Amino acid sequence: MGRTKSQIRAEAEKLTYLKALERKLLWLSAWTIHNANHIRESRDGLKVGGHQASCASVATLMTALYFDVLRPRDRVAVKPHASPVFHAIQYLLGNQSREKLQQFRSLGGAQSYPSRTKDADDVDISTGSVGLGVGLTLFAAMVRDYVQLQRLAPEQEPPGRMIAIMGDAELDEGNVYEALLEGWKHDVRNLWWMIDYNRQSLDRVVSDKLFQKIRGFFEAVGWKVVILKYGKLQQAAFARAGGDALRQWIDDSPNELYCALTFKGGAAWRERLMRDIGSRPGVRKLLGGFSDAELQDLMTNLAGHDMESVREALHAVDSDVPHCFIIYTIKGYGLPFAGHKDNHAGLMNIEQMADFQNAMGIAEGDEWEPFAGLDIDEQGLRRFLDEVPFNQAGPSRQMAHDKVALPAALAIRASEKMSTQEAFGRVLNDLGRGDSELARRIVTTSPDVTVSTNLGGWVNQRGIFNRADREDIFHSEKVVSMQKWAMSRNGQHIELGIAENNLFLLLAALGLSGPLFGARLLPVGTVYDPFIARGLDALNYACYQDARFMLAGTPSGISLAPEGGAHQSVSAPLIGMGQPGLTLFEPAYADELAEIMLWGFAHMQDDNGGSLYLRLSTRAIEQPRREMNEALRGDILKGAYWKIAPAPGAPLALAYSGVLAGEAEAAHAALLEDIPGAGLLAITSPDRLHSDWLAARRRRGTGDLGAQCHIGNLLLQLTPGAALVSVLDGHPATLSWLGAVAGHRPYPLGVSSFGESGDINALYRKHEIDSAAILDMAALACLDGVR
Ligand SMILES: Cc1ncc(C[n+]2csc(CCOP(=O)(O)OP(=O)(O)O)c2C)c(N)n1
Ligand SMILES: [Mg+2]
């Protein structure tokens, strides 16, 4: 059916508005960066930076997306260096203030890279570390479907699309491919990755024909690849005599040459084209029809800068198959350094900016005016902006989500001897057996270590998540196995391949399910402790976005013993302490762990809360026979308690964290003969203790002279100058700071080298964390004390 005249007119009007907005975004992004670098006063003389060329590259695409194609439920990861374009869009839509643009990159202003937590204008997905935002959109698509299929969230019809606007160099990051493979296994849908194919990264022009490889990668995992290469001007030229030769020349041109000629301009294009294809039929006449300026426009009219081509491609998507768009662009398009290989961090100088401002028709003083320099019906444009589909949800599209009710306690059936990993599995298993709201909202995940980290019981109860039902063939064939791996859309465990980056990106997506999709989930992930390091940047990224999850690192340390060697974690507790947004606990006993997990599920839901890292062990140790009480519970959660209180004024205490409880206890018993009043301090969270200590210091510094901290109160019971011998199966620095809290002498023991298997006795001896080593250290401390 043909379109009516009024439809055609409305469409033409829309295109006019979009082109005006595209121009405005190019201006505002460049101006925001210019203002921060050249106009705003600098207090420290440091360069502010910003990426005018990276912004120019995606101005057309982002205009088409945000002002036309996106719907309120779509979620977007914007490539980090296009942050000013995103903020300018939100400014035009009324969701971002002029002040924040003026304060771009200064404290409280618009952030250098889009940030969920620090920006005020509703960033969906933070970016910054290239590749991770891209990967997150894939896992977010999985989580969107999880909450939809399980009917945990208001139904979305049509479903929101997860979209990454990505730089082409992001494809160098391995995590992108790890995610792609996982997405294929899980049959992800409604996911678009839009590659700003400017063929430039930070240092260089990327190799030719890369797009063929990209196409191959994506098609191999079932994606539809759409290549947007030629703009409408080019398409028209190709249809004329000599056009075929021109098109052939463009296709054969090395990227570097294309970039260089773009930078040099029309005369250089003409000279080169005449030299290469001038003798081909029709070419001389074809080129003769363009002035130098027009020839520059023609040759840089790649589809990524052609509004009509971009819109056509996006509106043409008619399936939920994941789409990869390879969009040809020119880095710095429309700016004086377009195509120059050094343009990544390049900034227009004052003179260039003045010329640019002039060309944009913006009078001095009108730089921030939303409609300045646009030769357009302002009322009409305002109306158009008011009706932009993406903005119809209002200034914040964060979805409402309720808190999950928690039980008063988590049951733990502790055996006489038990490991923390086993206890962890039992808590979840018991939860999985029941019918609580908490159990309904927990979703577990693991990178191929589900069974070996004791999630097997939970999985047997709750099943594995899969879009389609799949029976457990081993089970139906009556092959005896402890594991029932039936899959269905109601399963509550998401099984991942080994790649740890994917674990953390999935935890990030699951942990943002509330604000992104309107259904709060309580994600629990397990990983072998040393391999946290493998996904560390993604873990950091998850925390940076304030995603909420519980991570169990297990087994940990050299207590893995014969299985050890390369699987031993040493510095992991320091990671736990040093990572903002993540609280480390390293309990020794099952009853401690149960309390910590319950607290953790609350902490994960608290507005000022965060994520948890439980460092666990496979080594079974003797459990204390005791009843939990309010005081003990409080101390466990604050991070420490006296397992054996010191006599008032005691000159020495032992402190341990985690699995070395027994070694510390044995050493303490032996020590009592010589130092009857010695104390034994159980530390469940060095992290909580440390941050509480610093917070109390800060409060005292700001006038609250009575401010106290938990560890300070505990250690006050020792005499000033007492020795503190600390020990853990991890780096000794984790506890060495304890001596500084109240003026005691620290004697830290721990593991500072690693790498060989052995039994517990041999390894604890070698690394000097057994009870004999603790005693030796205590003896040294006593000697030092009398010297
Ligand atoms: C993990 C990571 N490594 C390095 C950087 C530094 N860096 C920022 S941008 C960039 C190149 C980006 O090129 P591309 O993705 O093609 O973006 P565009 O050309 O659109 O600016 C690099 C290496 C980073 N942000 N993150
Ligand atoms: Mg690039």
Side-chain angles (χ1 to χ4, degrees):
M1 220 171 63
R3 291 183 303 169
T4 64
K5 267 191 185 156
S6 73
Q7 278 173 327
I8 294 172
R9 202 176 327 112
E11 199 43 37
E13 206 172 54
K14 194 175 200 179
L15 192 61
T16 314
Y17 292 142
L18 289 171
K19 285 188 172 169
L21 291 165
E22 167 194 32
R23 188 179 154 90
K24 185 46 74 176
L25 290 186
L26 179 65
W27 163 257
L28 276 178
S29 56
W31 174 253
T32 301
I33 296 167
H34 185 79
N35 176 70
N37 283 277
H38 294 298
I39 314 266
R40 200 170 69 207
E41 202 187 333
S42 166
R43 293 193 305 181
D44 54 12
L46 277 185
K47 128 177 183 225
V48 179
H51 303 84
Q52 290 171 331
S54 304
C55 290
S57 197
V58 283
T60 313
L61 171 62
M62 287 181 66
T63 304
L65 271 173
Y66 278 91
F67 294 114
D68 180 24
V69 177
L70 289 186
R71 304 185 294 244
R73 292 285 157 253
D74 295 336
R75 299 285 182 246
V76 189
V78 174
K79 72 168 186 173
H81 303 83
S83 166
V85 181
F86 173 79
H87 294 304
I89 289 169
Q90 295 288 33
Y91 175 60
L92 295 175
L93 290 173
N95 306 327
Q96 173 65 297
S97 70
R98 181 182 296 200
E99 292 69 37
K100 288 207 185 282
L101 295 188
Q102 288 168 334
Q103 294 306 316
F104 175 59
R105 294 192 167 212
S106 63
L107 192 65
Q111 297 296 298
S112 18
Y113 309 119
S115 168
R116 275 189 65 79
T117 50
K118 309 285 189 232
D119 272 316
D121 51 353
D122 214 14
V123 170
D124 291 327
I125 291 172
S126 303
T127 53
S129 176
V130 302
L132 294 182
V134 179
L136 187 64
T137 58
L138 182 143
F139 290 100
M142 274 168 66
V143 174
R144 176 203 57 213
D145 291 351
Y146 180 94
V147 298
Q148 291 283 303
L149 290 168
Q150 302 204 0
R151 301 188 190 290
L152 294 169
E155 193 179 352
Q156 289 183 7
E157 196 47 57
R161 295 158 298 197
M162 301 299 114
I163 298 173
I165 300 165
M166 57 194 282
D168 43 5
E170 300 201 57
L171 289 163
D172 289 333
E173 291 287 357
N175 87 271
V176 167
Y177 302 92
E178 296 176 0
L180 269 184
L181 199 55
E182 204 58 57
W184 173 75
K185 293 185 215 162
H186 288 271
D187 191 16
V188 282
R189 314 266 177 101
N190 290 305
L191 173 65
W192 297 359
W193 284 2
M194 323 196 76
I195 302 169
D196 174 4
Y197 192 54
N198 59 26
R199 291 148 293 153
Q200 284 189 260
S201 60
L202 198 161
D203 286 338
R204 63 195 187 113
V205 177
V206 303
S207 103
D208 306 330
K209 312 294 179 215
L210 177 66
F211 75 94
Q212 292 173 347
K213 299 291 165 208
I214 299 174
R215 177 156 60 185
F217 296 142
F218 282 84
E219 287 179 348
V221 285
W223 288 49
K224 178 161 180 187
V225 178
V226 180
I227 298 182
L228 280 77
K229 183 159 182 184
Y230 317 106
K232 297 284 178 194
L233 288 179
Q234 290 190 346
Q235 289 175 29
F238 298 158
R240 290 162 55 188
D244 283 346
L246 180 63
R247 179 188 184 130
Q248 193 61 47
W249 187 91
I250 291 177
D251 285 351
D252 292 345
S253 167
N255 289 341
E256 292 200 354
L257 177 63
Y258 214 91
C259 288
L261 291 175
T262 296
F263 177 71
K264 288 168 81 176
W269 283 114
R270 190 180 305 280
E271 193 207 320
R272 182 70 195 219
L273 287 168
M274 286 306 291
R275 182 156 24 114
D276 288 355
I277 53 169
S279 59
R280 304 274 297 276
V283 170
R284 177 175 293 274
K285 186 158 176 242
L286 178 68
L287 298 183
F290 296 99
S291 68
D292 280 355
E294 287 165 346
L295 190 57
Q296 170 78 348
D297 286 348
L298 174 70
M299 297 306 288
T300 57
N301 178 242
L302 299 178
H305 302 302
D306 184 73
M307 186 62 73
E308 286 172 84
S309 305
V310 172
R311 290 184 66 222
E312 271 170 26
L314 301 190
H315 284 298
V317 176
D318 59 0
S319 80
D320 63 2
V321 169
H323 274 63
C324 166
F325 296 89
I326 301 176
I327 305 170
Y328 277 74
T329 58
I330 286 165
K331 194 156 173 168
Y333 180 76
L335 305 181
F337 39 54
H340 196 290
K341 74 182 176 61
D342 303 337
N343 65 12
H344 183 77
L347 297 176
M348 280 185 271
N349 61 30
I350 303 271
E351 225 165 55
Q352 287 171 321
M353 195 65 194
D355 289 348
F356 182 56
Q357 178 161 2
N358 211 10
M360 285 275 153
I362 292 173
E364 226 181 294
D366 280 355
E367 290 86 354
W368 299 105
E369 288 305 321
F371 303 111
L374 301 181
D375 184 16
I376 204 158
D377 158 32
E378 199 177 309
Q379 286 307 322
L381 183 54
R382 275 186 203 281
R383 229 181 2 258
F384 176 79
L385 283 173
D386 285 344
E387 289 165 10
V388 162
F390 167 76
N391 209 29
Q392 295 314 305
S396 171
R397 295 166 310 114
Q398 306 274 324
M399 295 198 56
H401 52 286
D402 293 334
K403 283 202 174 164
V404 176
L406 299 179
L410 286 182
I412 177 76
R413 292 168 291 122
S415 318
E416 261 175 40
K417 253 183 125 180
M418 194 178 200
S419 70
T420 43
Q421 178 178 308
E422 201 186 342
F424 168 78
R426 253 189 224 183
V427 168
L428 284 172
N429 188 30
D430 289 353
L431 270 174
R433 229 184 264 273
D435 188 23
S436 60
E437 198 197 340
L438 169 59
R440 183 69 203 93
R441 294 294 172 142
I442 289 176
V443 47
T444 57
T445 181
S446 182
D448 206 25
V449 291
T450 298
V451 176
S452 48
T453 55
N454 270 55
L455 278 181
W458 162 267
V459 174
N460 283 345
Q461 313 289 346
R462 293 281 166 166
I464 294 187
F465 172 70
N466 198 52
R467 188 183 284 283
D469 291 350
R470 278 228 316 255
E471 64 175 336
D472 179 351
I473 305 276
F474 284 92
H475 190 67
S476 46
E477 289 295 325
K478 303 206 170 13
V479 176
V480 177
S481 164
M482 294 284 283
Q483 308 303 325
K484 284 186 277 175
W485 284 61
M487 300 184 179
S488 78
R489 56 178 53 192
N490 293 319
Q492 283 182 251
H493 174 77
I494 300 178
E495 180 68 8
L496 293 173
I498 300 177
E500 284 76 15
N501 260 302
N502 285 341
L503 169 74
F504 293 117
L505 287 180
L506 177 58
L507 285 174
L510 290 165
L512 290 172
S513 174
L516 289 183
F517 307 119
R520 190 191 294 274
L521 296 173
L522 296 171
V524 178
T526 63
V527 62
Y528 286 179
D529 201 49
F531 304 134
I532 285 178
R534 178 68 86 98
L536 197 50
D537 195 29
L539 171 62
N540 176 52
Y541 175 66
C543 294
Y544 169 62
Q545 305 212 59
D546 202 23
R548 303 297 180 79
F549 51 88
M550 185 180 285
L551 172 70
T554 183
S556 62
I558 62 171
S559 300
L560 182 56
E563 289 189 78
H567 285 25
Q568 295 160 348
S569 62
V570 176
S571 59
L574 297 174
I575 291 173
M577 290 179 76
Q579 178 62 54
L582 188 71
T583 301
L584 160 75
F585 284 91
E586 186 163 357
Y589 302 120
D591 60 353
E592 296 171 357
L593 180 68
E595 295 301 335
I596 290 165
M597 287 177 75
L598 182 60
W599 180 87
F601 288 127
H603 186 65
M604 285 157 67
Q605 304 191 65
D606 192 311
D607 288 347
N608 298 315
S611 292
L612 261 81
Y613 162 27
L614 311 175
R615 189 166 186 258
L616 307 181
S617 175
T618 40
R619 182 181 170 220
I621 62 171
E622 196 117 4
Q623 300 292 307
R625 284 182 203 93
R626 61 185 177 189
E627 287 290 318
M628 187 53 60
N629 60 50
E630 221 26 68
L632 179 58
R633 176 180 297 119
D635 283 356
I636 288 168
L637 299 176
K638 284 184 203 151
Y641 61 93
W642 283 114
K643 185 95 195 299
I644 299 170
L652 184 141
L654 304 184
Y656 71 88
S657 183
V659 71
L660 294 179
E663 282 63 28
E665 206 154 346
H668 180 265
L671 205 59
L672 282 182
E673 291 175 18
D674 297 321
I675 310 172
L680 179 64
L681 189 66
I683 293 179
T684 48
S685 173
D687 194 2
R688 295 266 292 162
L689 293 180
H690 188 261
S691 51
D692 176 45
W693 171 48
L694 295 193
R697 282 239 152 139
R698 267 195 300 274
R699 286 204 305 278
R700 285 213 302 281
T702 53
D704 178 4
L705 298 181
Q708 295 178 343
C709 62
H710 183 60
I711 186 66
N713 289 341
L714 292 173
L715 294 179
L716 266 184
Q717 302 185 36
L718 302 174
T719 189
L724 255 181
V725 180
S726 59
V727 64
L728 80 159
D729 183 355
H731 198 276
T734 312
L735 299 177
S736 63
W737 57 274
L738 283 174
V741 174
H744 297 127
R745 292 178 294 128
Y747 289 84
L749 290 167
V751 181
S752 37
S753 65
F754 79 117
E756 72 271 78
S757 13
D759 63 16
I760 291 265
N761 304 43
L763 290 182
Y764 282 10
R765 184 84 288 270
K766 170 158 189 209
H767 293 277
E768 299 179 352
I769 54 173
D770 59 1
S771 44
I774 300 172
L775 274 175
D776 286 348
M777 193 56 107
L780 174 68
C782 292
L783 267 180
D784 283 351
V786 295
R787 260 185 209 145

